[in-house]
Amino acid sequence: MIKRLLLALASASVLLINTGHAEESPDTDLVLLTENFPPYNMAKNGKNFAQDENINGIATDIVREMFKRAGITYSLTLRFPWERVYKLALENPGYGAFVMARLPDREKLFKWVGPIGPDDWVMLARADSKITLETLNDARKYKIGAYKGDAIAETLTKQGLKPVLVLRDQDNARKLVGGQIDLWATGDPAGRYLARQDGVTGLKTVLRFNSAELYLALNKDVPDATVARLQAELDQMRKDGVVDEIMGRYL
């Protein structure tokens, strides 16, 4: 009786463990994770959890096409917070996360495929603006709009530029075309995407003051041959103009 009870408990434990991991361990070559980061990755319903076809965005479309061309199967989950996405990709063989900035302290922690796209900090102006900037210091004499709590706004504040802050970054698009601010400090392509969502187009970049590239980061146990195949397909997509075409859908 005791032996049968112990066997039953062991079986139940295995079932619970398998159930807990079923969501993120399907029968595919790779498990891909992402977050809400418009316009690169977005849940179609706007929530902080989505799977597979319920996710879109520039990076999502690029990754889908890249895996299709490479003939590699995958599952895709968007979740929150980013810290969990990062930890799962770091610790689990066969996992990956996108889009991730390829920073020096992360270089040896993952295997990288990319770049998928830029994550730059820019100053945007109206299409008819005569403003020209060579350095960030040149922007001091202008009224600059920024997003409260954002790293860009914090950086400008620390450098004494005193940005005018709003609670939603897209509000700066309307303020810019309405003449309430001279410049909009935002991310690229995020700022242009948000502006387009509000019907604002034709903004021009007058200064790019920080640059980074975003990648698909794969767990170190992913075979080098898989990484190389994905990279080759992405490189070919860029040559064929597919990457630019995908970006054009959103920007």
Side-chain angles (χ1 to χ4, degrees):
M1 176 66 74
I2 293 176
K3 185 176 180 179
R4 286 200 299 271
L5 179 59
L6 290 174
L7 287 172
L9 288 171
S11 298
S13 298
V14 171
L15 179 61
L16 286 172
I17 291 171
N18 288 338
T19 301
H21 287 277
E23 175 193 338
E24 292 175 344
S25 298
D27 187 20
T28 57
D29 290 316
L30 291 173
V31 178
L32 303 182
L33 304 173
T34 190
E35 63 166 344
N36 270 316
F37 182 52
Y40 281 114
N41 333 297
M42 302 170 282
K44 290 182 179 178
N45 61 8
K47 298 186 182 299
N48 283 321
F49 181 83
Q51 290 183 297
D52 299 317
E53 297 305 317
N54 293 314
I55 306 167
N56 63 3
I58 293 171
T60 303
D61 291 356
I62 290 173
V63 167
R64 280 201 181 101
E65 181 64 21
M66 181 169 59
F67 273 75
K68 178 183 176 182
R69 291 180 175 216
I72 299 171
T73 61
Y74 65 96
S75 68
L76 176 57
T77 301
L78 179 149
R79 58 167 59 255
F80 176 85
W82 172 253
E83 287 80 4
R84 175 167 170 75
V85 170
Y86 182 95
K87 189 171 187 293
L88 285 167
L90 179 67
E91 297 178 353
N92 291 276
Y95 275 57
F98 69 91
V99 281
M100 188 185 296
R102 188 172 181 174
L103 304 174
D105 59 346
R106 295 174 176 171
E107 183 65 31
K108 295 181 179 180
L109 299 180
F110 298 94
K111 293 181 179 179
W112 303 89
V113 179
I116 291 175
D119 183 31
D120 294 355
W121 292 0
V122 296
M123 290 285 184
L124 297 179
R126 293 183 300 277
D128 61 353
S129 174
K130 304 299 183 183
I131 296 175
T132 58
L133 304 175
E134 293 294 331
T135 67
L136 194 58
N137 191 58
D138 294 338
R140 291 182 181 276
K141 59 185 177 181
Y142 299 106
K143 187 178 293 185
I144 305 168
Y147 170 40
K148 185 176 183 180
D150 184 57
I152 298 175
E154 292 175 357
T155 298
L156 296 179
T157 300
K158 287 177 182 177
Q159 297 193 22
L161 271 73
K162 300 179 180 179
V164 180
L165 303 179
V166 294
L167 296 178
R168 302 188 316 151
D169 204 18
Q170 54 263 49
D171 292 343
N172 281 310
R174 291 192 297 273
K175 293 182 70 175
L176 185 61
V177 296
Q180 295 168 274
I181 55 176
D182 304 308
L183 297 166
W184 176 17
T186 186
D188 182 26
R192 285 184 290 144
Y193 175 80
L194 292 172
R196 184 171 173 178
Q197 295 302 102
D198 265 12
V200 177
T201 59
L203 302 180
K204 64 180 181 180
T205 302
V206 294
L207 180 68
R208 196 171 298 272
F209 59 100
N210 187 55
S211 294
E213 293 284 1
L214 300 173
Y215 284 72
L216 165 63
L218 296 171
N219 184 272
K220 287 180 65 176
D221 286 343
V222 172
D224 288 341
T226 299
V227 179
R229 197 181 345 164
L230 289 168
Q231 185 65 59
E233 294 299 344
L234 178 59
D235 291 343
Q236 189 60 48
M237 287 168 59
R238 186 165 278 110
K239 289 179 183 178
D240 293 344
V242 175
V243 170
D244 287 340
E245 187 274 326
I246 289 173
M247 294 191 80
R249 296 177 197 167
Y250 295 89
L251 302 175

